[in-house]
Amino acid sequence: MDKLWAEGHTHTNAIQLLAELQNLGYRGSYQISSNYLRRRRRQRIRVVPPAPPGIRRITGWMMRHPEHLADAERQQFVALLAHCPELKALHEHVRGFAEILQTRSGQHLKDWIIAVRTADLPRLHAFATGLEKDWDAVLQGLSTRWNSGPVEGRVNHIKMVKRQMFGRAKLPLLHKRVLLTAAANW
């Protein structure tokens, strides 16, 4: 049996191996050939291809600027986009919206929404509908350099302090803590 294995006859079916050996004059039993193959199967090394990237990794690649991807990531992402036309269309729309955000060119938002509506991407349709619901604020946010980021940051900080102190202290201590941290940050 070892001689056949060494010659490249890598049968994995014990019945086929036994038939071939019996043609060569072997008088052993099925159990012997089965046991022989069982040991060989355990020794065989299986080459497992790498797992495909997960949804979080793909989303990360899509949300980052293409220049900030490592070469290996970029190659994987390009190969993935080549295999999935829906993902490629989604990526193009996401990059288009990111360009509008980065360049503050809100005047192009209507064209972007029209392009999204023509694509068969329901989740993006929902996003576009959300943008249209508060059109004036969105357009203002995408067109001017003024934003409410610092105010929102303070509001989030106050909410965090409130959650930390819930049930531990009364309003005067909360008031002092909020005012002291606000004074320290200005």
Side-chain angles (χ1 to χ4, degrees), residues 5-184:
W5 194 274
E7 290 175 358
H9 296 275
T10 55
H11 292 291
T12 57
N13 187 329
I15 295 173
Q16 289 175 349
L17 177 63
L18 183 61
E20 190 172 327
L21 289 172
Q22 286 174 342
N23 287 339
L24 296 173
Y26 177 69
R27 296 181 194 266
S29 68
Y30 166 79
Q31 190 63 43
I32 292 173
S33 63
S34 176
N35 288 342
Y36 175 79
L37 283 179
R38 189 174 297 119
R39 285 193 310 272
R40 296 291 182 180
R41 284 187 198 120
R42 288 183 187 144
Q43 292 174 356
R44 187 180 317 157
I45 298 173
R46 291 185 180 167
V47 177
V48 179
I55 189 71
R56 287 182 185 219
R57 180 163 299 193
I58 295 168
T59 304
W61 292 341
M62 194 174 292
M63 298 306 289
R64 278 190 276 168
H65 196 281
E67 294 173 0
H68 297 141
L69 292 174
D71 289 336
E73 291 176 330
R74 188 177 301 112
Q75 289 173 355
Q76 272 187 303
F77 191 47
V78 167
L80 186 69
L81 293 177
H83 284 86
C84 184
E86 293 88 6
L87 191 61
K88 184 175 182 178
L90 177 67
H91 175 64
E92 289 170 1
H93 289 300
V94 168
R95 288 294 343 133
F97 188 74
E99 187 67 28
I100 292 172
L101 280 173
Q102 290 171 343
T103 60
R104 289 193 183 104
S105 52
Q107 67 273 16
H108 299 298
L109 184 61
K110 195 62 170 173
D111 297 332
W112 181 85
I113 289 177
I114 291 169
V116 164
R117 295 268 186 236
T118 60
D120 186 27
L121 300 166
R123 300 288 185 199
L124 230 66
H125 293 186
F127 179 68
T129 301
L131 292 176
E132 288 176 328
K133 283 183 181 177
D134 200 10
W135 181 255
D136 292 333
V138 171
L139 194 59
Q140 196 66 269
L142 292 175
S143 300
T144 63
R145 65 182 187 91
W146 304 102
N147 64 59
S148 60
V151 175
E152 290 297 325
R154 290 299 307 148
V155 169
N156 284 335
H157 180 262
I158 290 169
K159 287 180 181 180
M160 181 208 52
V161 169
K162 181 181 166 190
R163 279 191 300 272
Q164 286 177 342
M165 296 181 62
F166 182 77
R168 297 181 185 169
K170 301 220 184 270
L171 192 58
L173 181 58
L174 176 65
H175 186 254
K176 270 188 178 178
R177 193 161 171 211
V178 168
L179 291 178
L180 287 176
T181 56

